[in-house]
C-alpha cells in the first residue's frame, strides 16, 4: 500500500499543476486544435499542452513507466506501471466555459487494458471548483482530507448520471437506455465529464452512473475512487465497441446492472 500511496501523491501533485495550467489557458481563451471522431469530438490546444506537461512530469519522476493518454501516442514502458491520463475530461464543457471539467490521472499495473489492469492510484482534479479527489488501492478515497463513501439506496429512487457519445448515430440507443433506467431513478444528471461523475458517485453526490462508449482515460481514475469509497464498478459488453460502464453503491450498481443486462 505504501507504493500505492506514493503513486497517489504523485498523481495528485501533477494533477494540481496540470489543472492550474488548464484554468489559466481557459481564462486566456481556448483555441480549437482539431476534431477527432466527429465534428463534436474536439481537442483544444490546452488539451495537448496539459497532456504534455503531465507526461513530462511523470517521465521525470518515474522514468520507464508506461503512458496511455487521450492526446498522444501510447508507450508500454518497462516497469509494469502505466499512467492512464485524460488531460481535460469534459473537453466540450471546457471549450464552452462550463466549469465541469477535470484532469484525470491513474496509475495501473499489468496490461494497460480495462478489465485486465490493476488500478493502483488515481487523482481527479477539478480546477474551476478547486476540488481534488484521490484514491490508492487499499487506502480509501478522499476529497482533500475527507474520506469518501458511496450512498446506500433511498426510497425516493436513485440520483443517476449518464453521458452520450460524440457519434449522433448512437444517441437513439442511448436515449432508449435512459428511458429504461428511469424506472429506478429519482432524477438524472448529465454533467459532461465521466471523471467528475465517478468522483461524485464516490463522494455520495450521485447514487449511480452509467455510460456507453467511454475511453480508458475517461474512467481509469474515477473507477478506483468509486471502488475505494465502497462502491462497485463494472463494464457490460466489455468486448464490444461500446462497453457500458456502471458505477454506484452496491445496491444501485446491482439494480442498474440487472436493468441494463436485460437490455443488452
Ligand atoms: C467525455 C466524457 C463524457 C462523455 C463525453 C466525452 P472527453 O470525455 O467525460 O462522460 O459523455 O462524450 O467522452 O472527450 O471530454 O475527454
Amino acid at each position: 500500500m505504501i507504493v500505492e500511496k506514493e503513486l497517489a501523491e504523485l498523481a495528485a501533485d501533477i494533477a494540481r499543476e496540470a489543472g492550474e495550467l488548464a484554468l489559466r489557458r481557459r481564462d486566456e481563451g481556448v483555441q480549437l486544435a482539431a476534431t477527432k471522431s466527429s465534428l463534436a469530438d474536439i481537442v483544444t490546444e490546452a488539451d495537448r499542452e496539459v497532456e504534455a506537461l503531465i507526461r513530462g512530469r511523470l517521465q521525470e519522476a518515474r522514468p520507464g513507466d508506461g503512458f496511455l493518454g487521450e492526446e498522444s501516442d501510447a508507450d508500454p514502458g518497462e516497469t509494469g506501471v502505466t499512467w492512464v491520463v485524460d488531460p481535460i475530461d469534459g473537453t466540450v464543457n471546457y471549450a464552452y466555459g462550463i466549469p465541469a471539467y477535470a484532469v484525470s490521472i491513474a496509475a495501473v499495473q499489468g496490461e494497460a487494458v480495462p478489465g485486465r489492469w490493476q488500478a493502483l492510484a488515481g487523482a481527479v482534479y477539478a480546477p474551476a471548483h478547486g476540488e481534488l479527489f484521490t484514491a490508492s488501492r487499499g487506502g480509501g478515497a478522499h476529497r482533500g482530507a475527507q474520506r469518501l463513501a458511496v450512498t446506500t439506496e433511498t426510497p425516493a429512487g436513485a440520483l443517476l448520471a449518464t453521458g452520450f457519445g460524440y457519434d449522433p448515430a448512437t444517441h437513439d440507443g442511448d436515449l432508449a437506455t435512459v428511458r429504461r433506467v428511469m424506472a429506478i431513478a429519482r432524477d438524472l444528471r448529465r454533467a459532461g465529464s465521466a471523471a467528475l461523475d465517478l468522483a461524485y458517485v464516490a463522494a455520495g453526490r450521485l447514487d449511480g452512473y452509467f455510460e456507453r462508449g467511454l475511453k480508458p482515460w475517461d474512467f481509469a481514475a474515477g473507477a478506483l475512487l468509486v471502488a475505494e469509497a465502497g462502491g462497485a464498478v463494472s463494464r457490460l459488453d466489455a468486448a464490444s465497441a461500446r462497453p457500458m460502464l456502471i458505477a454506484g453503491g452496491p445496491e444501485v450498481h446491482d439494480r442498474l446492472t440487472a436493468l441494463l443486462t436485460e437490455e443488452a
Side-chain angles (χ1 to χ4, degrees):
M1 195 150 48
I2 295 175
V3 171
E4 287 90 335
K5 195 171 181 328
E6 289 164 1
L7 293 173
E9 286 166 0
L10 178 61
D13 291 346
I14 295 174
R16 277 195 206 90
E17 182 183 0
E20 294 313 313
L21 172 61
L23 196 58
R24 284 198 305 278
R25 293 295 181 257
R26 176 57 262 179
D27 292 344
E28 293 163 0
V30 170
Q31 308 298 323
L32 183 64
T35 58
K36 299 188 288 189
S37 62
S38 70
L39 285 176
D41 187 3
I42 60 171
V43 55
T44 70
E45 294 296 350
D47 283 280
R48 291 175 172 170
E49 184 182 6
V50 170
E51 182 158 316
L53 170 78
I54 294 168
R55 191 161 192 160
R57 290 287 186 270
L58 288 169
Q59 185 61 27
E60 285 164 16
R62 292 182 51 91
D65 281 1
F67 189 88
L68 176 62
E70 180 168 20
E71 309 304 348
S72 58
D73 295 340
D75 171 4
E78 61 259 5
T79 65
V81 173
T82 299
W83 294 90
V84 186
V85 172
D86 191 336
I88 300 175
D89 185 64
T91 299
V92 173
N93 285 349
Y94 182 75
Y96 275 78
I98 299 171
Y101 61 89
V103 175
S104 181
I105 300 175
V108 302
Q109 192 167 39
E111 200 176 350
V113 174
R116 295 193 203 146
W117 70 42
Q118 170 65 56
L120 301 176
V124 172
Y125 180 54
H129 303 149
E131 288 197 308
L132 174 66
F133 300 88
T134 57
S136 58
R137 183 178 56 166
H142 295 81
R143 182 177 66 86
Q146 178 197 12
R147 183 87 183 227
L148 300 181
V150 294
T151 55
T152 53
E153 275 207 311
T154 66
L159 183 60
L160 301 175
T162 192
F164 304 97
Y166 290 121
D167 176 359
T170 65
H171 291 167
D172 277 353
D174 290 349
L175 288 169
T177 299
V178 167
R179 181 182 299 280
R180 285 180 65 84
V181 167
M182 289 308 285
I184 67 167
R186 68 185 298 162
D187 204 345
L188 188 72
R189 300 286 183 268
R190 197 291 191 242
S193 165
L196 281 185
D197 288 332
L198 289 163
Y200 289 4
V201 170
R205 295 176 180 173
L206 290 169
D207 296 313
Y209 167 65
F210 63 98
E211 183 166 350
R212 275 199 184 285
L214 292 175
K215 303 293 188 215
W217 41 78
D218 293 325
F219 63 84
L224 182 64
L225 286 169
V226 173
E228 286 296 325
V233 183
S234 56
R235 293 170 79 233
L236 295 183
D237 317 324
S240 73
R242 297 186 75 234
M244 170 70 81
L245 187 88
I246 301 171
E251 304 95 346
V252 170
H253 168 273
D254 292 352
R255 293 191 70 191
L256 277 173
T257 302
L259 269 176
L260 296 171
T261 302
E262 283 165 29
E263 170 193 66

